[in-house]
Amino acid sequence: MLTDVDLPAPGLLWTRWATLGAALTGLGHAGVWSIDDRGAALDDRDTGWARFALLDGRRAVLYGSSSTSPSADQLDLLTGAPDWLPWDDLTPLTLGFVIWHENGRWSRVRYHDGLLDGMTDLLQPLLTADNTITALLAAAGPGGSREAASRLLALAVRAELTPDGLRELLGDAVDTGAALAVATRAGLVPGSSAPRIPPGRRPPMRRVRRLSQGEHDRLVWAAMQDATELRRPAPPDTDELEALILWLREHSPAGDGRCTLLAYADATSFSAQSGSLPPADEPGSERYAGFRRLTELVRTLRRAESDPRYGRWLYLRIETSAGGVQIERRYDSWPAWWHDDGVSGPWRTNLQEEMDGRLPAYRPSWVALLDPEVAYRPTR
């Protein structure tokens, strides 16, 4: 089932988007509201992202995701969508909303009761001319006037945006060349035209994401926490292990040789958490010098203990004392002593690389969850 959406006509939405993008680019803030050969873009690390593209005639498509968008498994946003949407662009994405304009109206999939996609909050500066003028005035700062912002938007609507109009609102410090480059790409200056994308083609079968990237991560991490270690021989003692133990004793926080290391490492990343007795920095040492040295020692040990059959460990715990040491390695599971904040954890691509370097007999059962297809369900 589809429903209508109350949005400005595509031409008005485009002009407001491009005017705001040109002004911000002229002030050195390129990349938030922007224009390229595929259309308009919004990228805000705090609130979300959106893309807007014009097609032939009066057709257009608006899609993106905000921090309040529904999760991927709550709704198939492309059920009943028209064949001409840019399917190649849409299907790989984790989407929070998809809205299209055809036959004089905006439409989207009908949501469940109470479900909000965050689109109106994300695009609030564009929903009315007054909102756009307010956003332009905020960008201009104390030197701008509402009248100048209104005149700049009117020039853009007529595709007559000029350097003088930009300077009137934004002052002499504005980079009119950068601003006009955006305006030209957007069709806001005489002799220019807005970019349009060709109609797409609906795939015979498409993938619908049922898990967001974060949900897929947490599925894998939960399975790692439930897993047990496979049986494999302990690695032999090495000089690299002795070097790490010596360094930990030398950096004992109480100076008595007692120290605790909790570490995670894979081929490209390293992280450490504070145990009961974390290593202390040397007095007067450069900031992060100790962490860099610890990273080097752990990585060197991991390489030395690697085995083409059994693989390499992912988690390492070492507890030293003046005369002893306890070591725990985890190859296949997320240990209870490694804190899970629900947000950060091993990258699935890094885990897959590690698992590919082992014999199949030494790959834990959760490896199957690393397959990207786990996050999708096929549908017509």
Side-chain angles (χ1 to χ4, degrees), residues 47-363:
T47 59
W49 63 273
R51 301 290 181 269
F52 175 40
L54 303 173
L55 287 87
D56 56 299
R58 295 188 176 182
R59 294 189 293 185
V61 60
L62 172 66
Y63 56 94
S65 182
S66 83
S67 56
T68 60
S69 291
S71 62
D73 60 341
Q74 288 183 268
L75 198 63
D76 179 4
L77 297 171
L78 294 171
T79 297
D83 292 343
W84 53 263
L85 291 186
W87 292 90
D88 289 345
D89 294 338
L90 295 172
T91 50
L93 299 173
T94 301
L95 296 164
F97 56 87
V98 181
I99 305 168
W100 54 90
H101 188 273
E102 187 176 29
N103 299 324
R105 63 185 184 185
W106 289 99
S107 303
R108 61 160 169 78
V109 170
R110 180 172 294 174
Y111 298 160
H112 308 308
D113 290 343
L115 191 65
L116 300 175
D117 61 17
M119 181 274 294
T120 53
D121 291 335
L122 196 62
L123 301 183
Q124 189 66 30
L126 311 179
L127 298 184
T128 67
D130 192 62
N131 286 5
T132 305
I133 290 168
T134 299
L136 288 169
L137 189 58
S145 71
R146 194 167 194 85
E147 293 74 16
S150 180
R151 282 192 288 271
L152 182 66
L153 184 58
L155 288 171
V157 169
R158 299 195 302 269
E160 296 176 353
L161 200 146
T162 64
D164 288 342
L166 290 163
R167 280 191 289 266
E168 181 189 13
L169 173 64
L170 305 175
D172 292 335
V174 63
D175 184 343
T176 56
L180 287 174
V182 174
T184 301
R185 285 197 299 272
L188 303 188
V189 300
S192 65
S193 59
R196 295 182 181 272
I197 64 171
R201 177 179 296 179
R202 180 191 296 271
M205 288 287 290
R206 65 183 177 89
R207 298 190 307 165
V208 177
R209 182 176 281 277
R210 65 185 182 90
L211 297 174
S212 68
Q213 296 284 1
E215 289 167 337
H216 194 178
D217 285 337
R218 287 189 289 274
L219 177 68
V220 173
W221 300 342
M224 292 177 68
Q225 291 169 15
D226 291 338
T228 56
E229 289 291 293
L230 301 173
R231 293 175 61 87
R232 55 171 57 79
D237 291 339
T238 62
D239 292 341
E240 289 81 2
L241 178 60
E242 289 302 316
L244 177 55
I245 293 171
L246 177 61
W247 187 90
L248 291 171
R249 286 178 175 147
E250 290 175 345
H251 290 78
S252 165
D256 58 2
R258 294 184 302 143
C259 192
T260 303
L261 167 67
L262 305 179
Y264 168 86
D266 56 38
T268 59
S269 62
F270 172 83
S271 59
Q273 294 184 357
S274 296
S276 57
L277 294 166
D281 290 329
E282 295 180 4
S285 64
E286 179 187 352
R287 190 180 184 187
Y288 302 125
F291 182 80
R292 288 195 295 269
R293 179 56 178 159
L294 178 61
T295 302
E296 178 185 351
L297 289 167
V298 172
R299 287 196 175 283
T300 301
L301 174 62
R302 190 169 184 268
R303 286 193 296 269
E305 294 187 345
S306 67
D307 187 284
R309 298 161 295 176
Y310 314 128
R312 296 170 291 184
W313 45 260
L314 298 167
Y315 296 92
L316 176 68
R317 180 174 70 170
I318 299 181
E319 295 183 353
T320 65
S321 63
V325 62
Q326 292 183 337
I327 304 172
E328 180 182 355
R329 303 170 180 87
R330 292 294 187 99
Y331 293 75
D332 312 307
S333 60
W334 182 311
W337 43 261
W338 187 263
H339 174 66
D340 177 14
D341 62 6
V343 177
S344 56
W347 288 12
R348 282 175 279 118
T349 51
N350 291 4
L351 291 173
Q352 186 66 66
E353 180 181 358
E354 168 57 34
M355 297 302 128
D356 289 344
R358 304 179 180 185
L359 291 178
Y362 294 97
R363 298 172 188 170

Side-chain angles (χ1 to χ4, degrees), residues 11-71:
L12 288 176
L13 190 65
W14 177 269
T15 300
R16 294 168 188 171
W17 198 312
T19 305
L20 194 54
L24 288 171
T25 299
L27 294 172
H29 303 297
V32 181
W33 300 90
S34 59
I35 304 292
D36 60 27
D37 59 359
R38 295 287 296 174
L42 165 64
D43 290 286
D44 188 314
R45 68 179 64 184
D46 296 321
T47 59
W49 63 273
R51 301 290 181 269
F52 175 40
L54 303 173
L55 287 87
D56 56 299
R58 295 188 176 182
R59 294 189 293 185
V61 60
L62 172 66
Y63 56 94
S65 182
S66 83
S67 56
T68 60
S69 291
S71 62

